[in-house]
Amino acid sequence: MSGNESKITHKLRMMSGFELPIDTLSLLKPDGSLHDGAKAPKLSKETALRIYDTMLFIRVLDERMVAAQRQGRLSFYMTCIGEEAAVIGSAAAFEDHDMIMGQYREHGALRYRGFPTEQFMHQMLSNSKDLGKGRQMPIHYGSRALNYMTISSPLATQIPQAAGYAYGQKLDGKKACTLVYFGEGAASEGDFHAGMNMAAVLKCPTVFFCRNNGYAISTPSEEQYAGDGIAARGVGYGMQTIRVDGNDVLAVFAACVEARKIAVEKQEPVLVEAMSYRLGAHSTSDDPSGYRSKDEEEKWRSVDPVLRMKNWLIAKKWWAEQQEKAVLETYRKEVLDTLKATEKVPAPALEEIITDVYDQPPAHLQQQLAELREHIAKYPEKYPKTAQGVK
Ligand SMILES: Cc1ncc(C[n+]2csc(CCOP(=O)(O)OP(=O)(O)O)c2C)c(N)n1
């Protein structure tokens, strides 16, 4: 029934925004066993171990990069700690030719697709081997080869882009969809509503994946929206919607396999809201002790998504504690060695600041480049890395 043909009533009754509460799908208990009546999705040993391996890599990368930022080797970093099951479990449910558009906390999805360790480092250190030629701040990765759109800092801009990109996939008759990630904070932006409405009306194969991690920097979710979370908005836009336990990799994977199927086979959008918690700071520029308690964090630490998956893998005899130690050691060494080697790579050539947009850079940009060259040559100590390459 469409909104213009609703059932007629003769009694005045307002409806509250909380009258249609949406359940949360949870399959896996923290100890790694299944809830009564829960059915695990079909997940091969190979895929399960690839998900888990990606989780371990991301834990190591996060830990080492925060330390590198504290040592002054990096200017900025954002961790994914606490949200590994939501990000990596969802990415695993999609095909390599599906497009991914991230917000910024989804490096796990990029790694799952095979982004090499050295490419993470080249990007974070803005050097000449960075695929983005050093033009973005750290953690703004992108990879054309892996169908992962470059991260952009203004919140929610990726959401209407995802609706538009998926509309293009539909017009091209592709058996593919676009997976777009965003936080519950970004869902307050106008772009969220524009993207959701466009996808719903034009039936774009877009999977909207909201990481509801409880905070938008220091603002708790209770102060961000009224009503039943973000999932209720999917229903409001006339979209198939599901809410999942974001710390439960099986629930996330099962929901996303179904979401992709609907998007690709029925050619329509789906909203997935994953309920989780941002265990770390918002970024290396933030200190969460100023706005939340240690007790609250501890409560969420006890339902750690990585530990929960490990318990499940061990129960299935697909994993063992000794293997884990070896993998963590290997990744720690790999990340540190790669960081050291990457620090020696020179900065991008200065003229690359104006290439790639125009066939022939226009005169005013050439002029600005000449002025910049002069400026750097005059104050080389202020631009130690760039000045080496400026003649
Ligand atoms: C348009 C815009 N407004 C504000 C900001 C500053 N900002 C960066 S991240 C952030 C919070 C986003 O929270 P959420 O979407 O919940 O994602 P989370 O960081 O929790 O993963 C804000 C307000 C921004 N980048 N862009």
Side-chain angles (χ1 to χ4, degrees):
M1 200 183 290
S2 86
N4 295 344
E5 298 164 9
S6 76
K7 207 171 127 212
I8 300 293
T9 179
H10 305 297
K11 287 203 181 79
L12 192 156
R13 190 180 80 88
M14 296 288 175
M15 193 175 166
S16 134
F18 291 94
E19 269 180 63
L20 301 168
I22 298 170
D23 298 341
T24 302
L25 176 73
S26 184
L27 303 174
L28 195 56
K29 290 198 222 162
D31 68 3
S33 63
L34 290 182
H35 284 288
D36 287 346
K39 191 170 164 281
K42 248 183 37 206
L43 181 59
S44 68
K45 180 177 174 187
E46 190 198 352
T47 304
L49 290 180
R50 183 168 157 201
I51 293 174
Y52 193 63
D53 182 73
T54 310
M55 286 179 170
L56 295 183
F57 174 81
I58 292 296
R59 284 249 153 136
V60 169
L61 185 74
D62 282 357
E63 176 193 297
R64 296 286 144 167
M65 292 302 107
V66 169
Q69 194 276 339
R70 297 298 186 238
Q71 292 162 357
R73 297 161 83 177
L74 276 191
S75 58
F76 181 79
Y77 192 75
M78 286 176 123
T79 73
C80 169
I81 183 160
E83 296 178 71
E84 294 89 345
V87 170
I88 304 164
S90 54
F94 289 79
E95 299 287 329
D96 288 348
H97 61 275
D98 294 327
M99 175 55 86
I100 294 183
M101 297 198 184
Q103 175 154 310
Y104 45 58
R105 214 180 284 289
E106 299 88 7
H107 41 305
L110 183 57
R111 177 64 177 195
Y112 186 83
R113 288 209 165 167
F115 203 58
T117 309
E118 61 267 26
Q119 281 303 340
F120 279 104
M121 304 296 167
H122 293 322
Q123 197 287 327
M124 284 188 270
L125 292 168
S126 292
N127 67 32
S128 53
K129 290 190 181 166
D130 166 32
L131 300 175
K133 302 185 178 173
R135 292 163 178 163
Q136 283 265 23
M137 63 187 286
I139 68 106
H140 287 53
Y141 321 102
S143 168
R144 190 188 290 268
L146 298 177
N147 287 317
Y148 194 97
M149 189 67 79
T150 304
I151 303 301
S152 123
S153 262
L155 281 179
T157 45
Q158 76 279 16
I159 303 174
Q161 287 166 6
Y165 194 88
Y167 190 52
Q169 290 170 315
K170 182 188 185 103
L171 294 182
D172 287 345
K174 291 201 170 133
K175 285 251 158 274
C177 64
T178 299
L179 164 65
V180 57
Y181 291 102
F182 50 91
E184 84 293 339
S188 300
E189 288 285 341
D191 271 356
F192 165 80
H193 299 280
M196 291 280 284
N197 196 48
M198 174 178 165
V201 172
L202 295 176
K203 300 215 173 298
C204 308
T206 323
V207 176
F208 295 91
F209 191 97
C210 176
R211 297 179 290 96
N212 190 334
N213 63 12
Y215 285 88
I217 313 186
S218 57
T219 309
S221 53
E222 307 88 79
E223 290 174 32
Q224 294 178 51
Y225 50 75
D228 185 27
I230 307 303
R233 300 181 190 173
V235 177
Y237 278 110
M239 228 178 253
Q240 304 235 36
T241 297
I242 187 164
R243 175 178 281 149
V244 294
D245 177 344
N247 285 20
D248 170 354
V249 74
L250 296 186
V252 172
F253 182 77
C256 287
V257 166
E258 187 61 20
R260 182 183 191 270
K261 197 164 160 222
I262 294 168
V264 175
E265 288 177 11
K266 294 196 175 163
Q267 291 285 291
E268 60 176 61
V270 184
L271 172 71
V272 181
E273 182 182 21
M275 310 308 288
S276 186
Y277 190 81
R278 196 199 74 215
L279 264 180
H282 169 74
S283 73
T284 45
S285 313
D286 171 49
D287 174 10
S289 69
Y291 55 84
R292 67 188 194 191
S293 69
K294 280 269 165 270
D295 281 355
E296 181 184 302
E297 291 176 14
E298 282 318 311
K299 193 189 114 214
W300 280 92
R301 234 173 258 287
S302 67
V303 286
D304 180 345
V306 179
L307 185 59
R308 202 189 284 197
M309 185 175 191
K310 175 162 103 174
N311 290 340
W312 179 71
L313 289 173
I314 288 177
K316 283 187 87 70
K317 304 214 177 337
W318 286 356
W319 194 246
E321 202 69 59
Q322 310 87 277
Q323 279 172 285
E324 176 136 338
K325 278 205 186 103
V327 171
L328 288 174
E329 263 323 297
T330 308
Y331 281 150
R332 280 188 190 124
K333 184 167 169 10
E334 182 187 323
V335 165
L336 277 186
D337 289 352
T338 313
L339 177 63
K340 262 190 218 142
T342 311
E343 281 171 326
K344 299 196 181 86
V345 177
L350 195 61
E351 57 274 14
E352 286 187 348
I353 208 164
I354 64 164
T355 54
D356 294 348
V357 175
Y358 299 94
D359 178 34
Q360 186 65 34
H364 72 282
L365 290 184
Q366 309 254 27
Q367 165 78 25
Q368 285 175 24
L369 180 64
E371 284 169 19
L372 181 61
R373 235 186 252 287
E374 238 172 76
H375 175 81
I376 293 173
K378 198 164 165 196
Y379 303 102
E381 71 287 357
K382 302 280 183 210
Y383 304 91
K385 245 186 144 185
T386 317
Q388 295 160 18
V390 173
K391 285 142 211 127

